[in-house]
Amino acid sequence: LIGAAALLALGACSTLTGGEENAPAPAFNPAACGEKDFVIYFDEGQAELTEEARRIIDLQARDIRGCTIDNVRIIGLSDQDEGNQESSRQLSVRRAEVLAEYLATRASWPRTRFELLATGARGAVTAEGLDVPVRNRARIIAASHAQQ
């Protein structure tokens, strides 16, 4: 059920970008510049990007092509079930690093503007001892502006 919800969420994300990956690049739209906040999901216990993750990142980056990237915050997370505390933290770090590398290489976002954070499994369990579902993800917050 959680997997189905995640797939629906991913599908919804892709419809927000206004196009398919093979569609021609949109003309520069200064109104598209600003803050972009999106989530990329990973397979459990993995830091490699899935094809769906690459597609979503490419579409999000294409939306702000031509904007000047001010800063990019990437927050890697992991589930409590993805190892012990240290291995969960390392997995979160690796997820953030993989995303930074992909965005710098594929979207040509300036790597010097990136801030990488990793939470590991911290926050994966509530005060009541309940697991927080679907933390096998990373959040990307990119701020950009249009050149004057």
Side-chain angles (χ1 to χ4, degrees), residues 69 79 103-104 140:
I69 302 296
D79 288 327
L103 286 165
I140 300 170

Side-chain angles (χ1 to χ4, degrees), residues 50-129:
T50 64
E51 286 302 316
E52 181 68 6
R54 285 186 187 95
R55 188 179 73 76
I56 290 168
I57 296 166
D58 291 347
L59 290 170
Q60 295 290 338
R62 187 177 73 179
D63 281 354
I64 59 173
R65 183 178 293 149
C67 301
T68 299
I69 302 296
D70 298 316
N71 59 62
V72 180
R73 176 178 280 188
I74 302 174
I75 307 163
L77 298 106
S78 64
D79 288 327
Q80 178 180 336
D81 295 339
E82 293 180 308
N84 63 38
Q85 189 173 4
E86 181 56 25
S87 64
S88 290
R89 192 188 72 73
Q90 286 300 322
L91 180 58
S92 297
V93 167
R94 185 70 190 125
R95 287 175 174 168
E97 290 171 344
V98 164
L99 285 166
E101 180 64 28
Y102 188 83
L103 286 165
T105 303
R106 177 80 176 196
S108 299
W109 289 5
R111 186 65 174 87
T112 57
R113 305 289 172 99
F114 286 48
E115 175 186 10
L116 305 184
L117 304 168
T119 65
R122 187 175 30 127
V125 178
T126 67
E128 295 80 26

